[in-house]
Amino acid sequence: MTDILKIDDATIPKFPKHVKFRYNKARDEWVILAPERLVKLDPIAVEILKMVNGEREVKSISLELSKKFNAPEDTIISDVKEMLQNLSDKGFIEENG
Amino acid sequence: MDDIKNNNLKNASEHGIQAPLALLAELSHRCPLQCPYCSNPVQLEKKTGELTTDEWKSVIDQAVEMGMHQIHLSGGEPTVRHDLEDIVEHCSKEGLYTNLITSGVLLNPDRLKKLESLGLEHVQLSFQDTDHENADRIGGFKGGHAKKLEVAKWVRDVELPLTCNCVVHRQNIDNLENFIQMALDLDAERVEIAQVQYYGWALKNRAAFIPTPEQLDHATEIVEKARIDLKGKLVIDYVIPDYYAKHPKNCMGGWGRRFLNMNPKGDVLPCHAAETISHLKFDNVREKSLKWIWENSEAFNMYRGTDWMPDPCKSCDRKEIDWGGCRCQAMALTGDAKNTDPACSISPMHNEIFSMAAEEARRAPPEFIYRKYGVRFNSPI
């Protein structure tokens, strides 16, 4: 693992190899899976994480979400950063590069 | 094949319990190591009784249909099974997060590469110590530690994520910092520092393993410091021996609430030690569906929820936090699985057991009783 990540506008987030963002058909829900860990997600987190692909920057993800949900970009970008930072601190998100 | 439920106990739905999250699959009790704290039951299952490949595949299908997220392929030593590849492939195809819990000593680079290509997602590799000689003595397997260090490199060579499972006790606890350093050196994502939990084999060997409270406090300090220093670099999971805790652990997140365990012959258990509660009757996947068992099996419903609890659990405001602690520990130490887990400081048995264990920790450790088939015991614990 790398050093502690600080999520900013230019960060390109991705899931570490041992972390899976997966849809559970029987339960009809998206979850994060890692060794002995299961993270349940709210609908907003799911929308954000669906765009995490190791290619897109935080800013670009936020812009699209702000258009999609017709919400102010400033609010969205700060929400996205907060959520990804939280997941990164727990080892569920890392930076591509 | 499923009949109606066979008892008057409330079932999972009536307790408001959903499908389990994960399945611990003990593929075999066979193992080249003989760790005297093994979590397997004292009566080990022989190869001839093990479920077939197709039977495991059916279990996996059922687990997915129920909505389970993860499978832990464990043992004994799961790699003794030549169909491990088939099982891993099936788990992965069906979308279960697939974790292999192994001693590693039977693995080679080609097999690991194959398992990775079939969809294995994570490896947990056990370590007995960081000192070669002592590690091999504890595991009862010469050359084991050196092989494990090699296996860890092979795991990382095929870019599989790695957890080092380190079981600590009075005979290796002084190497705790070395365990953490070893995990860093091996490029592991995660390390589990688990103090021995005293059931089955480990309970027979308690006097050989139980640390003093001072040793435990020192270990906890080391782990707490390392967690701060290594935040974002290494995940450290830490399990203390609950004899020295104030509250009992909420074992398995509560009996029959979140997980299930299957033994090699297909008995479905609320936890890996549940067979020590000798009056429980377990249902088997050869006779009933996994879903029916989770929902209705008497062994699960017996200690679900809080209705079964006597005092002091019944009137305790933590009863839906701790769920009475561990039923197996209550059985082993008090003779009745319904009693409050003596690890709890308000259990009437707590002081007696705590002081007995602390006394054991101050004496010289006895010889190990190694885990193997056919060992007979005379003493009650």
Side-chain angles (χ1 to χ4, degrees), chain B residues 173-188:
Chain B
I173 202 167
D174 294 337
N175 280 332
L176 184 52
E177 282 161 315
N178 296 334
F179 271 121
I180 295 167
Q181 188 58 47
M182 179 187 76
L184 286 169
D185 293 345
L186 294 175
D187 192 27

Side-chain angles (χ1 to χ4, degrees), chain A residues 17-18 22 24 27 34 37, chain B residues 20 67 70 97 121 159 237:
Chain A
K17 197 175 172 208
H18 65 289
R22 205 169 267 175
N24 186 305
R27 292 177 194 260
R37 296 280 196 284
Chain B
Q70 303 203 356
Y97 187 98
E121 292 174 300
E159 294 182 13
D237 278 0

Side-chain angles (χ1 to χ4, degrees), chain B residues 163-280:
Chain B
T163 290
C164 294
N165 281 6
C166 308
V167 178
V168 297
H169 44 76
R170 67 190 287 198
Q171 302 205 34
N172 67 7
I173 202 167
D174 294 337
N175 280 332
L176 184 52
E177 282 161 315
N178 296 334
F179 271 121
I180 295 167
Q181 188 58 47
M182 179 187 76
L184 286 169
D185 293 345
L186 294 175
D187 192 27
E189 273 80 9
R190 183 167 159 268
V191 62
E192 269 188 34
I193 307 284
Q195 300 271 349
V196 172
Q197 302 290 306
Y198 296 99
Y199 317 103
W201 293 97
L203 187 56
K204 308 277 182 205
N205 286 294
R206 186 176 68 190
F209 288 130
I210 189 116
T212 62
E214 296 75 28
Q215 281 178 311
L216 182 72
D217 288 346
H218 184 56
T220 305
E221 273 170 36
I222 290 171
V223 170
E224 278 170 4
K225 181 172 184 305
R227 273 183 170 163
I228 296 165
D229 294 349
L230 301 173
K231 188 184 167 191
K233 286 186 184 174
L234 181 70
V235 176
I236 304 177
D237 278 0
Y238 182 53
V239 181
I240 66 164
D242 55 8
Y243 282 35
Y244 294 150
K246 188 172 168 213
H247 302 296
K249 59 179 174 289
N250 70 341
C251 201
M252 307 301 285
W255 184 269
R257 299 191 78 79
R258 302 171 75 176
F259 304 105
L260 54 77
N261 183 86
M262 276 181 56
N263 74 10
K265 67 174 174 181
D267 284 348
V268 186
L269 318 172
C271 79
H272 58 257
E275 287 164 283
T276 58
I277 305 176
S278 51
H279 60 82
L280 289 182

Side-chain angles (χ1 to χ4, degrees), chain A residues 24-28, chain B residues 19-20 57-69 94 96 289-291:
Chain A
N24 186 305
K25 199 174 152 196
R27 292 177 194 260
D28 186 24
Chain B
K57 284 184 182 173
S58 162
V59 165
I60 291 158
D61 292 342
Q62 294 177 53
V64 171
E65 274 169 37
M66 288 170 75
M68 282 197 241
H69 296 285
E94 295 301 320
L96 285 176
S289 72
L290 200 57
K291 189 174 179 192

Side-chain angles (χ1 to χ4, degrees), chain B residues 257-327:
Chain B
R257 299 191 78 79
R258 302 171 75 176
F259 304 105
L260 54 77
N261 183 86
M262 276 181 56
N263 74 10
K265 67 174 174 181
D267 284 348
V268 186
L269 318 172
C271 79
H272 58 257
E275 287 164 283
T276 58
I277 305 176
S278 51
H279 60 82
L280 289 182
K281 187 188 151 293
F282 300 105
D283 287 291
N284 190 287
V285 292
R286 283 174 167 153
E287 282 141 26
K288 299 247 171 30
S289 72
L290 200 57
K291 189 174 179 192
W292 185 92
I293 296 172
W294 175 257
E295 189 68 19
N296 298 310
S297 178
E298 186 181 273
F300 280 81
N301 290 335
M302 185 87 75
Y303 304 119
R304 273 184 165 139
T306 55
D307 292 350
W308 58 272
M309 288 178 179
D311 270 323
C313 288
K314 191 165 67 178
S315 52
C316 178
D317 59 7
R318 292 179 58 88
K319 70 178 168 184
E320 290 191 347
I321 300 169
D322 301 331
W323 299 104
C326 170
R327 304 284 48 82

Side-chain angles (χ1 to χ4, degrees), chain A residues 38-56:
Chain A
L38 167 75
V39 185
K40 302 237 178 195
L41 301 160
D42 62 44
I44 297 161
V46 171
E47 289 303 321
I48 297 169
L49 293 175
K50 278 181 181 169
M51 281 190 259
V52 168
N53 60 4
E55 289 171 15
R56 301 185 69 162

